Amino acid sequence: RFEHSFKAMGGPCRLRLELDDEVRAETAIAVAVAEVQRLEHKYSRYLEDSLTRQINRAAGTGKPVSLDSETAGLLNYADTVWRESDGLFDLTSGVFRRAWDFKSGRCPELREIEALLPLVGWELVQRDQDSVYLPRAGMELDFGGCVKEYAADSAAMQLRRHGVVSALVDLAGDMVAIGVPVGTTGWPVGIRHPAEKDRAVAQVLLPEGGLASSGDYERCLEIDSKRYGHILHPRTGWPAHGLVAVSVLAGQCLVAGSSATIAMLKPAGEALDWLDKLG
């Protein structure tokens, strides 16, 4: 077994491979890491030369931004999930972070939230397979709701292309398993307790496929004994108050991640029913 740790997309990442050839393992690891770094550079909202920043800078200028097929595919997926979730999964809702600073210790004023509401709404986005345009100045696309999970799937695909048949890709908790370790039925994975960082709330043997978790415990505010989580409702701009944490297993990490996010945005009882129906 070969292991490699690195940092990307704001968190610790790790690759674990079972392979009988060290040179092949090193090559596969290098290619997978490069794929994650490529996607981070392309879609990060923090990097000046990223495609995301280019799209957001063009908002309200009248000039659409050209798309490659990869980005068009991601936006097609986002559109499908937006429709299937009745608007809960919305890549334009990232602008609410302008009002919410979870390190500040303060809650935004109502007027700050209301000023941002006109900038949120996936239905406003003008796009086709070749271009995308945000019609209102100040609007933003934020791929943070899907790019890490997509990167986990993409890194796994690169490993498969290099002959890896047993591996675990872990991008800060978003995971993709390729095959299973020799002599087992799955990769042993602990689901962290939402309130106690050093304790697992569940253990799973992850079969081939994706695992993604979403929770409001990583970044939150506590004011007057009330907790405000960082998962913000796209229609109100205020934190969702449903489940504390959700972990979903699916064929692809991208699907698992968006499903977990949607469940976090629904009322707790409704979310559990929806997850049951989803399978």
Side-chain angles (χ1 to χ4, degrees), residues 141-162:
L141 283 186
D142 185 350
F143 289 90
C146 62
V147 75
K148 186 152 65 78
E149 296 90 340
Y150 174 68
D153 288 324
S154 297
M157 181 175 66
Q158 292 296 337
L159 293 178
R160 289 189 182 98
R161 285 177 175 171
H162 283 75

Side-chain angles (χ1 to χ4, degrees), residues 29-258:
I29 287 169
V31 170
V33 172
E35 177 70 352
V36 174
Q37 292 171 337
R38 178 187 74 83
L39 292 168
E40 180 174 28
H41 190 272
K42 184 175 182 177
Y43 294 113
S44 172
R45 66 173 184 261
Y46 301 107
L47 299 177
E48 279 294 325
D49 58 344
S50 72
L51 177 60
T52 301
R53 289 292 285 270
Q54 184 183 348
I55 292 169
N56 295 343
R57 278 196 299 266
T61 65
K63 299 176 181 178
V65 174
S66 297
L67 295 180
D68 61 301
S69 59
E70 179 177 53
T71 307
L74 270 177
L75 294 180
N76 287 344
Y77 177 78
D79 182 72
T80 298
V81 180
W82 176 77
R83 295 176 188 279
E84 292 292 330
S85 66
D86 294 324
L88 290 180
F89 188 89
D90 192 323
L91 293 191
T92 68
S93 62
V95 293
F96 288 130
R97 71 177 179 280
R98 296 179 193 168
W100 288 94
D101 180 356
F102 289 92
K103 296 178 181 177
S104 69
R106 64 173 283 272
C107 209
E109 296 182 18
L110 183 60
R111 60 179 177 79
E112 295 178 81
I113 302 291
E114 290 178 339
L116 296 171
L117 286 172
L119 303 179
V120 177
W122 177 256
E123 70 279 4
L124 300 171
V125 178
Q126 299 171 13
R127 64 183 189 89
D128 53 32
Q129 290 302 103
D130 300 312
S131 66
V132 65
Y133 177 61
L134 306 176
R136 296 180 182 175
M139 283 186 75
E140 293 183 10
L141 283 186
D142 185 350
F143 289 90
C146 62
V147 75
K148 186 152 65 78
E149 296 90 340
Y150 174 68
D153 288 324
S154 297
M157 181 175 66
Q158 292 296 337
L159 293 178
R160 289 189 182 98
R161 285 177 175 171
H162 283 75
V164 177
V165 295
S166 179
L168 183 66
V169 176
D170 179 356
L171 302 188
D174 290 324
M175 302 184 178
V176 177
I178 301 171
V180 297
V182 173
T184 73
T185 57
W187 293 87
V189 173
I191 306 294
R192 204 182 80 187
H193 193 287
E196 302 172 35
K197 289 188 177 182
D198 297 328
R199 190 162 75 85
V201 73
Q203 301 275 351
V204 298
L205 284 174
L206 181 62
E208 183 148 10
L211 169 69
S213 298
S214 184
D216 66 0
Y217 47 86
E218 288 284 0
R219 285 181 290 148
C220 63
L221 284 171
E222 285 206 23
I223 301 172
D224 298 329
S225 300
K226 186 174 182 181
R227 189 161 61 90
Y228 297 86
H230 77 281
I231 297 175
L232 307 175
H233 200 291
R235 296 194 190 106
T236 67
W238 290 88
H241 292 291
L243 299 171
V244 175
V246 180
S247 294
V248 175
L249 286 83
Q252 291 175 293
C253 192
L254 179 59
V255 174
S258 49

